[in-house]
Amino acid sequence: MSDLHLRHLESDQDYQAGFVVMRELRPHLTGASAFTAQVRRQAEQGYRLLAAWRDEQIQGLAGYRLQENLIYGRFLYLDDLITTGNSRRHRVGATLIDSVRDEARRQGCAHFVLDTGLANALGQRFYFRQGLLATGLHFGQQL
């Protein structure tokens, strides 16, 4: 198996390649064009999408943004983390987490933060193995 390399998605072609992978995490996404447009809008707010590539195929994605608030100060929020089914257990997710955490340090962030679903036991186990701890309970309401 060839080496994994990381590169931010920048072009429409990149985003369209990432759509298939992101849809595994976000099945409500309607199509590659709508996904590309949304990611471009989010990029205006600082969102970046880091891809793990192997053999010119995306194996995983990490979508993140820098933020600041009164709870954490300056922090990096990981919006999206997904690896393809066939790349799990090959450290793709851990490699993405490590890279994004390093970016948080480079940017002078005090915290690295993400949310996961309460029912996502496998994801929670993975995050604990990556050194992340559960520090709160996220509340929301659909409007």
Side-chain angles (χ1 to χ4, degrees), residues 67-79:
Q67 295 188 309
E68 188 169 357
N69 65 23
L70 295 174
I71 298 170
Y72 300 118
R74 186 169 172 79
F75 69 101
L76 189 144
Y77 183 79
L78 183 64
D79 291 74

Side-chain angles (χ1 to χ4, degrees), residues 65-135:
R65 54 200 155 112
L66 296 171
Q67 295 188 309
E68 188 169 357
N69 65 23
L70 295 174
I71 298 170
Y72 300 118
R74 186 169 172 79
F75 69 101
L76 189 144
Y77 183 79
L78 183 64
D79 291 74
D80 309 296
L81 180 69
I82 183 66
T83 60
T84 60
N86 63 351
S87 68
R88 293 189 182 112
R89 303 193 192 284
H90 293 285
R91 293 205 36 86
V92 174
T95 299
L96 287 164
I97 288 264
D98 288 346
S99 180
V100 172
R101 186 174 18 226
D102 288 345
E103 178 66 14
R105 289 183 182 115
R106 279 191 298 277
Q107 296 293 331
C109 293
H111 294 274
F112 174 54
V113 179
L114 62 85
D115 291 322
T116 191
L118 292 173
N120 186 7
L122 292 176
Q124 292 167 25
R125 197 169 83 192
F126 169 76
Y127 295 132
F128 282 123
R129 284 194 317 264
Q130 302 312 307
L132 296 159
L133 300 175
T135 59

Side-chain angles (χ1 to χ4, degrees), residues 7 9-26 29 31-32 35-36 39 47 49-53 56-62 82 84:
R7 179 173 56 84
L9 302 184
E10 304 284 344
S11 70
D12 287 354
Q13 182 179 1
D14 285 345
Y15 293 137
Q16 291 181 10
F19 170 72
V20 174
V21 177
M22 185 62 79
R23 193 142 192 229
E24 290 186 35
L25 178 64
R26 309 283 184 224
L29 296 173
F35 170 71
T36 298
V39 170
Y47 180 81
L49 196 52
L50 181 65
W53 299 80
E56 301 305 313
Q57 297 292 316
I58 295 176
Q59 303 297 303
L61 295 167
I82 183 66
T84 60

